[in-house]
Amino acid sequence: MQSLGLAIDWSRELATCDADYYKWNQWLFLRMLEKGIAYKKTGTVNWDPVDQTVLANEQVIDGRGWRTGALVEKREIPMYYFAITRYADELRSALDGLAEWPERVRTMQANWIGRSEGVDVDFPWADDTRALLEREGNLRVFTTRADTLLGATYVAVAAEHPIALAAAKGNPQLAAFVDECKRGSTMEADLATQEKKGLPTGLHVQHPLTGERLPVWVANYVLMGYGEGAVMAVPAHDERDFEFAQKYSLPVKTVIASTSGKYESVAAPWQEAFAEHGVLVDSGAFNGLSSAAAVDAIAATLASKSLGQKRVQFRLRDWGISRQRYWGCPIPLIHCPACGDVPVPDKDLPVRLPENLVPDGSGNPLGKTPAFYQCKCPTCGGDARRETDTMDTFVDSSWYFLRFASSGNNDAMVDARANYWLPVDQYIGGIEHAILHLLYSRFWTRVMNEMGLVKTPEPFANLLTQGMVLNHIFVRTSGAGRREYFNPADVDLVVDPATRESRATLKKDGSAVTYEGFGTMSKSRLNGVDPNLLTEKFGADTARLFMMFTAPPEQSLEWSDEGVLGANRFLRRLWKAVYEHVSNGGAVADADVRALLVAGALSPADRDLRRTAHQTLAKVEDDIGRRRVFNTAVASVMELLNAIGRHAADAGAAGAASRAVRQEALELAVMSLSPIVPHVCHELWQQLGQGGQLWRTRWRKADPAALVQDQVEIVVQVNGKLRGRVSVAPDAAEEVVKAAALADENVRRFFEGREPKKVIVVKGKLVNVVV
RNA sequence: GCGGACGUGGCGAAACUGGUAGACGCAGCAGACUUAAAAUCUGCUUCCCGCAGGGGAGUGCGGGUUCGAGUCCCGCCGUCCGCACCA
C-alpha cells in the first residue's frame, strides 16, 4: 500500500473497534440523550422465534429465517433512536450548498428526506363507535391531497395502529389478520410489492366536513411508520386506494375534474391521470377551485372547526441505532428497577465490549454474559442491568474523519485540528453510500456543530462516488451444491471469436471451471488482485496508470491483465522516448530551448508538435482540475507521445530547433502525467536535465502563442451529411468560408443543378448546405 | 413497488455547450527485425457495397423537435445501485 504513493498519513491510523475510539460514540450519545436528540421508543424488528434472535433484513428469505427456516415475525421492542428528523429540513436545504457533490447523490438524498406539505385531518368517531371504544376524540390522518377530502369513502389504518389492535380484541378474524400482517418482512421493498389486503374494523368515523359515516378498515398498505399510521382513502384519485376499493367493492367518488382532458370520470382500469391535480367537482362549497387553492380553503375550514391544520411531513424516519448484536459499541445505559434508565456517568466511560465471547447464533451473547450485564445503579447503588444492545456501526463511520483530524487526543473527542482540516476537501466513497452513510455523517456533524465541537456543519466539501472494481468470476459447483471459487490468475480463459463462447480451464491441471462473467472483487469469490504482486511485477505507477486510464472514476472498473500490460507498455515507451532523446544529443537546457523557440522560425512540423504539446498540457489541466476525469487526460498524453515519436522519426526534424521542440514536448508530457504516474515522471524529469523535485515544481501554463493555428479544417455537410472538408484561416470571414465550402468538388455533386436553400456556417467548425 | 443512474465496435471507452460518432487503449490481422519465437517498431481494424474516388447503414427499441440528435423531448425495453438491522 505504501509503495503505491497514496500519501496516507498512517500516523493517524485509527480503528473504530478500539475503546479509545468508541468511547467518544458513548460520550456523544450521552450528550445527545441530555438534549433529547437520543431517545427511546419501540421499533419493529425481524424476530426468529426458533433461534430467539433478531434477524437482519437480508437474513430473512421469503419471510423465513435463513438458518432455521421458521416464519419470521415482526416484533416491537424498545430501541434507541437519534432524532435525525429534527434536522430534516436543514439537511435537505443545505444540499443546495453542496455544489461539488454529484447531482444524483443530492437528488437521492432530497428524495430520501422527502419533504411533503400536507394537512392533518381529524375524523371524529361516529357516535356508536365512540360508545364502543369508550373513547373521545378523533382519528387523525395525514394527507397531501386535502383537495380530494370530499372524495374520501373510507379510512384505513395500519395493522399496528392502536385502533386496529383495539378493534381486534373482540374480533377473531381481524385479530388473525393483524397477526398475519406481523409476519413477513419489514423491508420497504417487500411491503410495497405485496398484495393489498384489508378487513373492516366495524368501527366508523364521521367525515369532518359532511358528517357522512365512513367505515374504518385495517389495510396492509398503510405504514405505521409514516404520517399518522392512518390514511383517508380517496379511491378516485389515489392508485393504492383505487386498487383496494376495487378489490373490496368500496365506493369510488370522483371529486377532481381533469384539466388536461385525460378523463371525464374515474373508472377501471386505473389511469395515472386520475391522480393529477385539477378542478374540484361534487365538493360543495369548494366546487370550481383548483387543487392548490382547495388545499388552502379546506385546511382553513378544518382549522376553523379544530379538525385539522397544515403540516410538513418528512419521509425520513428517525435513525434507530440499537442492534441486538455482539459487535458494535455498547450503548452506555443502565437499567435500574428503582431509578429506571440511568446514563453511565462520563467517568465510567468507555463501557468496554468483552472480546472473548463466542456467538452461538441465537440472540446476543452480551445478554448471556452476567459479567457484562450485571452492574450497580450509578444513582442508588442497587443491583441493575446494563443495556446489552450495541450501536449501529454506521455510528462509527459517521465521524471517523473528524477523529482522523484530531488523532491521538485522549482528553477530547475532537480538537482544534478538526477545524483546520474540516470540511474534508475531497471525500471518496462508493455510490452505495449515497444515502445512509453520507446522510448520517451530515447529521452527526451538524449535532457536533450545534454542541460547539466543530465549526463546520457539513463534513464533506467535495464528493466523488467511485465505481467498484470488477474481475472475472470462476466457480465450480460440487455435487452437494458447494461453490468453490478460483482466482482468475489460476485460470486460462479462451473466448472463441466466432461463437463468443468462453472456455475456462485451471492452469494447474487443465480441468474445466465455469465462467460467470464480471462481478465485484470480493474475498468470498476469491477474485481479488494482490496489489503487492502487481507492484512487484510492474511497479506502482503501472497499477496507478491502469486504474486511472481504464474507466472514469465514477464508473465500475473491469480488471484486465492485458490492460495492465498496456499501461506498462506505455510507460516503457515514454521512458524510452526520453532516453533516446537524451542519449542522442543530450537534454536541451532551458535557456537554449527558450532561445530556439522564441526565434519563431520553426518548420511546420515543429510548430505542429509544439502546438500538440501545449494543447495536451491545457487539456490535462482542464480534465484533472475542472472535469475530474483522468482517463481522457492520460489518453491525450498518449497522443502526444505518439506525435513525439513521429516527429523524432522524421529525417527533417533533426536540427537544434526540432530537438528543442521535442525537449519541451517531453517535459510537458512528463509534467502532464506526473499526478497519475509520479515516480516514473520524477525520474524522467531529472533525466531531462530539470533540477529539483517535479512534485514541488510549479505547474506550467500552455503558451498561447504555441496554440495558434494558421489553417483550420472546416467540415462541409450537405443536408447534415458529411461531404467534404476545406481548410481556411481561423479568422476567415463567413463569406470566405462559405465560398470555399461551396467550391468543393464532392460537395457540389450533391446539389448539382439546384440552388442551396440555406447555408449555415458555424465558425471554426462546419458549414451545412441545405438543398 | 418507489427513488437514482446507465445502455455507443469483438472488449474498456471518447465525443465537455446540439455541430466530423468510435479519440486513446485492449484484443485481432498484416508487414519489418529475427534462424525462430518473444519483445519492439510500422500499418490496418464499426458493418455493408466498390479496384478506387466514393456511397449506404449505424450510438438498446419506437416516435418527435432541429439545417443538424449519441447528446434535447415523449413512450417502451434491458441492466445496475439504494430502499433504513450487510456495512
Side-chain angles (χ1 to χ4, degrees):
Chain A
M1 282 295 279
Q2 197 104 26
S3 63
L4 279 172
L6 299 176
I8 291 167
D9 185 352
W10 291 103
S11 73
R12 295 164 181 266
E13 185 177 7
L14 58 89
T16 58
C17 57
D18 284 346
D20 285 346
Y21 183 84
Y22 67 68
K23 168 185 173 178
W24 299 109
N25 288 351
Q26 296 172 345
W27 182 81
L28 198 77
F29 174 90
L30 294 174
R31 302 292 84 75
M32 288 161 85
L33 203 62
E34 288 160 5
K35 289 188 178 292
I37 301 169
Y39 67 94
K40 185 177 178 177
K41 72 165 185 184
T42 61
T44 313
V45 294
N46 301 306
W47 178 255
D48 185 320
V50 173
D51 267 351
Q52 297 280 298
T53 193
V54 175
L55 299 177
N57 276 335
E58 83 284 353
Q59 292 173 327
V60 180
I61 298 152
D62 296 331
R64 291 172 182 273
W66 66 329
R67 277 160 49 91
T68 62
L71 278 174
V72 168
E73 295 167 18
K74 286 182 218 164
R75 182 172 276 207
E76 299 282 321
I77 59 168
M79 301 211 290
Y80 291 91
Y81 284 84
F82 287 152
I84 191 172
T85 49
R86 245 194 238 184
Y87 298 79
D89 226 353
E90 53 176 299
L91 285 169
R92 187 177 157 282
S93 56
L95 286 170
D96 296 338
L98 299 175
E100 299 305 317
W101 280 38
E103 186 66 42
R104 59 169 164 159
V105 174
R106 289 188 288 159
T107 308
M108 285 163 89
Q109 290 214 350
N111 288 336
W112 184 259
I113 295 168
R115 181 192 153 95
S116 52
E117 292 178 6
V119 178
D120 276 333
V121 183
D122 288 332
F123 286 73
W125 295 112
D127 293 340
D128 55 342
T129 296
R130 187 179 297 136
L132 193 72
L133 287 174
E134 294 178 339
R135 84 166 73 193
E136 290 301 310
N138 313 310
L139 178 58
R140 173 166 289 186
V141 307
F142 175 78
T143 179
T144 56
R145 288 300 302 273
D147 55 320
T148 64
L149 178 55
L150 279 299
T153 57
Y154 64 101
V155 172
V157 300
E160 299 88 348
H161 195 282
I163 288 305
L165 301 178
K169 277 195 184 124
N171 184 338
Q173 208 191 345
L174 188 60
F177 177 67
V178 167
D179 249 18
E180 185 191 323
C181 289
K182 276 189 192 167
R183 286 194 289 274
S185 156
T186 58
M187 283 173 78
E188 189 187 292
D190 294 334
L191 295 173
T193 47
Q194 72 189 354
E195 192 195 345
K196 287 181 185 48
K197 281 187 190 169
L199 275 182
T201 57
L203 307 177
H204 291 83
V205 291
Q206 300 167 35
H207 192 286
L209 297 183
T210 64
E212 189 186 348
R213 188 177 160 89
L214 301 177
V216 177
W217 284 63
V218 176
N220 66 352
Y221 70 94
V222 181
L223 306 177
M224 192 58 218
Y226 187 79
E228 299 293 331
V231 300
M232 64 176 212
V234 184
H237 304 291
D238 181 281
E239 185 171 3
R240 291 159 305 179
D241 299 342
F242 185 82
E243 195 185 313
F244 195 81
Q246 291 288 315
K247 179 165 177 174
Y248 294 106
S249 304
L250 292 158
V252 177
K253 189 180 167 203
T254 308
V255 289
I256 301 291
S258 171
T259 43
S260 60
K262 287 187 180 157
Y263 67 94
E264 282 174 9
S265 64
V266 170
W270 173 262
Q271 295 172 32
E272 254 170 61
F274 298 161
E276 282 176 3
H277 291 198
V279 173
L280 273 71
V281 294
D282 279 341
S283 296
F286 305 103
N287 281 342
L289 290 178
S290 70
S291 287
V295 169
D296 291 342
I298 288 175
T301 304
L302 288 170
S304 71
K305 298 182 169 208
S306 296
L307 287 177
Q309 58 280 311
K310 283 191 162 187
R311 179 161 75 84
V312 173
Q313 167 76 34
F314 291 94
R315 205 187 77 96
L316 182 68
R317 310 201 292 259
D318 274 347
W319 175 12
I321 59 150
S322 294
R323 297 291 181 272
Q324 299 69 38
R325 314 225 178 274
Y326 168 36
W327 60 89
C329 167
I331 293 175
L333 282 168
I334 289 168
H335 304 293
C336 171
C339 310
D341 298 344
V342 182
V344 173
D346 284 0
K347 66 176 173 53
D348 295 338
L349 296 183
V351 177
R352 285 178 189 275
L353 192 69
E355 293 178 21
N356 55 352
L357 305 186
V358 181
D360 61 7
S362 72
N364 182 352
L366 292 176
K368 301 174 196 168
T369 309
F372 178 78
Y373 67 71
Q374 283 177 355
C375 62
K376 298 291 178 194
C377 170
T379 306
C380 70
D383 285 342
R385 185 181 167 97
R386 192 180 293 288
E387 173 63 56
T388 55
D389 280 3
T390 56
M391 292 185 202
D392 183 359
T393 50
F394 269 127
V395 170
D396 299 316
S397 58
S398 290
W399 69 284
Y400 71 97
F401 40 88
L402 291 164
R403 188 66 186 164
F404 190 77
S406 309
S407 144
N409 190 339
N410 287 323
D411 301 322
M413 186 174 185
V414 290
D415 56 43
R417 289 174 294 165
N419 289 329
Y420 172 76
W421 289 106
L422 271 283
V424 176
D425 295 312
Q426 180 66 64
Y427 197 64
I428 302 174
I431 186 68
E432 71 274 21
H433 293 302
I435 294 172
L436 295 182
H437 164 59
L438 290 169
L439 194 61
Y440 292 151
S441 299
R442 294 182 60 219
F443 158 71
W444 189 278
T445 304
R446 263 165 206 279
V447 170
M448 287 184 67
N449 172 255
E450 204 174 76
M451 293 181 179
L453 295 166
V454 288
K455 282 191 178 149
T456 180
E458 284 292 336
F460 313 124
N462 288 277
L463 174 67
L464 174 78
T465 50
Q466 104 277 23
M468 290 186 278
V469 186
L470 316 178
N471 201 359
H472 302 285
I473 301 169
F474 298 103
V475 70
R476 182 182 288 158
T477 310
S478 74
R482 269 186 64 90
R483 290 167 70 78
E484 188 187 0
Y485 287 93
F486 298 92
N487 189 281
D490 301 326
V491 178
D492 282 320
L493 179 65
V494 184
V495 180
D496 188 303
T499 63
R500 282 196 224 161
E501 274 170 22
S502 56
R503 210 181 109 75
T505 50
L506 277 191
K507 279 181 181 160
K508 61 171 191 223
D509 59 10
S511 62
V513 292
T514 308
Y515 177 50
E516 296 204 323
F518 278 98
T520 49
M521 283 190 182
S522 69
K523 277 184 204 160
S524 60
R525 292 196 279 213
L526 227 69
N527 62 342
V529 171
D530 184 347
N532 291 324
L533 289 178
L534 198 67
T535 44
E536 270 170 38
K537 198 166 172 190
F538 299 108
D541 283 344
T542 293
R544 293 173 61 119
L545 180 66
F546 167 71
M547 289 187 281
M548 300 311 265
F549 174 64
T550 304
E554 299 82 6
Q555 270 179 48
S556 57
L557 172 85
E558 289 181 8
W559 197 263
S560 150
D561 289 336
E562 292 77 17
V564 173
L565 236 45
N568 187 252
R569 190 178 303 145
F570 169 72
L571 291 182
R572 286 171 190 277
R573 288 210 302 129
L574 180 66
W575 188 280
K576 204 163 89 179
V578 170
Y579 176 82
E580 282 177 354
H581 171 75
V582 171
S583 62
N584 180 16
V588 186
D590 282 355
D592 295 336
V593 170
R594 278 198 297 277
L596 286 159
L597 298 187
V598 167
L602 296 178
S603 70
D606 289 347
R607 280 211 303 274
D608 282 347
L609 179 60
R610 185 144 199 266
R611 190 173 59 248
T612 302
H614 284 265
Q615 277 170 348
T616 301
L617 181 70
K619 173 155 178 63
V620 168
E621 183 179 323
D622 188 50
D623 281 354
I624 295 180
R626 179 181 65 89
R627 298 178 63 206
R628 303 280 155 89
V629 287
F630 311 103
N631 55 333
T632 51
V634 172
S636 66
V637 179
M638 287 175 167
E639 283 182 79
L640 174 57
L641 186 64
N642 291 341
I644 293 171
R646 281 192 299 273
H647 188 261
D650 181 355
S658 295
R659 290 203 71 249
V661 168
R662 281 203 295 279
Q663 169 81 28
E664 187 195 37
L666 285 166
E667 286 169 10
L668 294 184
V670 166
M671 170 162 274
S672 298
L673 208 57
S674 63
I676 293 167
V677 180
H679 312 92
V680 164
C681 289
H682 170 86
E683 176 62 24
L684 294 180
W685 191 249
Q686 309 284 328
Q687 292 294 318
L688 285 166
Q690 295 289 325
Q693 314 265 355
L694 175 53
W695 60 280
R696 287 181 187 270
T697 305
R698 181 177 286 273
W699 188 261
R700 291 195 195 167
K701 288 283 170 191
D703 177 2
L707 296 175
V708 172
Q709 276 179 282
D710 39 39
Q711 291 281 293
V712 291
E713 191 182 67
I714 301 289
V715 168
V716 187
Q717 299 178 335
V718 179
N719 288 339
K721 281 183 188 288
L722 176 65
R723 297 304 181 189
R725 295 158 205 274
V726 292
S727 204
V728 298
D731 55 352
E734 199 172 307
E735 284 310 310
V736 177
V737 177
K738 192 169 159 181
L742 292 175
D744 185 87
E745 197 184 320
N746 197 50
V747 170
R748 296 194 72 84
R749 295 200 307 138
F750 288 90
F751 59 95
E752 200 76 354
R754 286 175 291 176
E755 259 319 284
K757 222 187 277 177
K758 194 169 163 190
V759 180
I760 289 147
V761 180
V762 181
K763 202 168 186 312
K765 283 233 160 115
L766 64 71
V767 175
N768 190 13
V769 183
V770 187
V771 296

